[in-house]
Amino acid sequence: MRDHDLPAPERRTRGKRRFDDDEQLFLKRGRAAEPALADPDAEPDPDTGERWSSWDDAVHGPQPHPEWLVTELAAKDTELGMLKTGKEADVHLVRRAVPGTDRSCLLAAKRYRDPQHRLFHRDAGYLEGRRVRRSRENRAMAGRTAFGRQMIAGQWAAAEFAALARLWEVGARHGTITVPYPVQLRGTELMLEFLGDQEEGLAAPRLAQLRPEAGELRELWGQLVDALVVLARAGLAHGDLSPYNLLVHAGRLVLIDLPQVVDVVANPQGPEFLARDVRVVATWFAARGLPAADADPAALSALLLREAGIR
């Protein structure tokens, strides 16, 4: 991913240009002139489960920030439970609120596992086209040393945050939001917009859980094609797209889980990843009754490659 496409907070680090795969991107330092209100890494209060918000110590999502987002330094984060477990990361539900006020919001905190407990069997193909500038780091990543595994873990988080921020901005400009709002990045933890029932804290269903009627099925397919076109115009492919990585919230299809996002131009395998994404989702839609002529993976792949500038 190119530096000029990243959110402004990621480009300006101590006056030096950085790239989305540079290690300091996911080790952002706090601002000396404006210290955090309290240590966000401190243990939560044993009685309330609260800890100080980590907002002041993180890389922030695109501006303008949504009105629902709590950014006050007096806010506290409260863990509410687990939303999802995975091979590489777990997602937790967090309420961020300003004590004594009605200001609060629910967030999904995606935390990448310790590199010693993550699986890296698929990393090589996805990481092509994402290279750090120092040969030592490249060798460590290629050799899967302890340091290299930490570098890779950070790259996953940084790549997902950058992709979400970029796609959110593109969608906001054109009125076609296709991803959850990326609230912040801190270390290998991403805070994301929670999509679901705000009162009950129930996450929106995955597409795989639904059995849509014919009209809804066609509408969701149209939304998916639009979303994939947005990605392709940004030069990206999801890289691991399936009905399990798509949420349906308030009738809107939303892409999630983008750590393995692929640059279809820089990565030699980019077109193959894109074509696989299309085959997987087209097969699901066709199996549920969408006419084969509409869910033609070859035609859609060709369209997306043209949109990405690959003939």
Side-chain angles (χ1 to χ4, degrees):
M1 201 168 298
R2 294 170 289 278
D3 182 63
H4 67 271
D5 291 317
L6 296 176
E10 297 176 58
R11 296 198 303 265
R12 297 193 295 273
T13 304
R14 298 181 179 270
K16 180 180 178 182
R17 282 189 77 206
R18 293 208 180 277
F19 299 86
D20 66 315
D21 51 6
D22 212 1
E23 72 275 22
Q24 278 84 355
L25 175 63
F26 50 88
L27 295 173
K28 180 179 181 291
R29 304 178 189 275
R31 295 181 289 278
E34 189 180 340
L37 185 61
D39 180 7
D41 287 328
E43 290 297 317
D45 185 296
D47 296 323
T48 65
E50 297 176 339
R51 71 174 77 220
W52 290 105
S53 164
S54 57
W55 172 258
D56 192 48
D57 194 37
V59 178
H60 300 157
Q63 295 190 26
H65 304 309
E67 292 184 2
W68 55 262
L69 179 60
V70 174
T71 61
E72 289 88 336
L73 298 185
K76 289 188 174 182
D77 293 345
T78 304
E79 299 278 336
L80 299 180
M82 184 85 72
L83 287 174
K84 175 188 173 185
T85 61
K87 293 179 180 178
E88 292 148 348
D90 297 325
V91 182
H92 299 256
L93 183 63
V94 174
R95 181 177 296 280
R96 176 167 291 173
V98 181
T101 76
D102 61 356
R103 287 280 293 157
S104 71
C105 64
L106 288 179
L107 303 173
K110 184 172 185 178
R111 295 165 185 159
Y112 282 86
R113 295 172 184 265
D114 182 284
Q116 296 301 320
H117 298 94
R118 289 183 62 250
L119 300 179
F120 289 94
H121 62 284
R122 297 181 304 159
D123 284 347
Y126 290 112
L127 289 174
E128 285 195 70
R130 296 189 210 162
R131 292 288 183 261
V132 296
R133 290 176 291 174
R134 298 180 180 86
S135 59
R136 181 175 74 92
E137 280 82 348
N138 281 326
R139 289 195 300 271
M141 289 168 60
R144 298 305 192 269
T145 65
F147 174 64
R149 291 164 70 91
Q150 182 65 62
M151 289 285 298
I152 292 172
Q155 278 208 337
W156 284 124
E160 181 166 22
F161 180 80
L164 288 168
R166 182 178 178 186
L167 295 172
W168 173 270
E169 290 182 310
V170 171
R173 284 198 300 270
H174 299 284
T176 55
I177 301 297
T178 59
V179 295
Y181 178 76
V183 172
Q184 66 180 59
L185 170 67
R186 185 174 183 271
T188 53
E189 178 190 75
L190 282 80
M191 288 278 200
L192 307 171
E193 173 187 6
F194 171 72
L195 297 174
D197 187 316
Q198 296 290 319
E199 296 297 326
E200 300 294 332
L202 298 176
R206 295 182 178 90
L207 178 63
Q209 298 173 261
L210 304 180
R211 294 295 181 267
E213 298 293 335
E216 184 184 6
L217 188 71
R218 187 178 295 276
E219 169 63 24
L220 290 172
W221 174 255
Q223 290 186 34
L224 178 59
V225 171
D226 290 343
L228 294 179
V229 167
V230 170
L231 261 74
R233 288 176 178 172
L236 303 174
H238 185 285
D240 192 27
L241 190 61
S242 80
Y244 294 93
N245 289 336
L246 291 163
L247 298 182
V248 180
H249 178 59
R252 178 168 64 98
L253 198 69
V254 184
L255 299 167
I256 60 169
D257 292 339
L258 287 92
Q260 70 294 309
V261 66
V262 174
D263 186 320
V264 294
V265 177
N267 189 321
Q269 300 179 57
E272 296 174 24
F273 281 117
L274 183 151
R276 187 183 66 185
D277 282 351
V278 171
R279 284 197 304 272
V280 170
V281 291
T283 297
W284 187 90
F285 275 88
R288 277 146 188 83
L290 190 70
D294 293 334
D296 181 350
L300 180 54
S301 293
L303 167 66
L304 297 176
L305 289 174
R306 289 196 300 271
E307 293 289 348
I310 300 175
R311 304 299 179 184

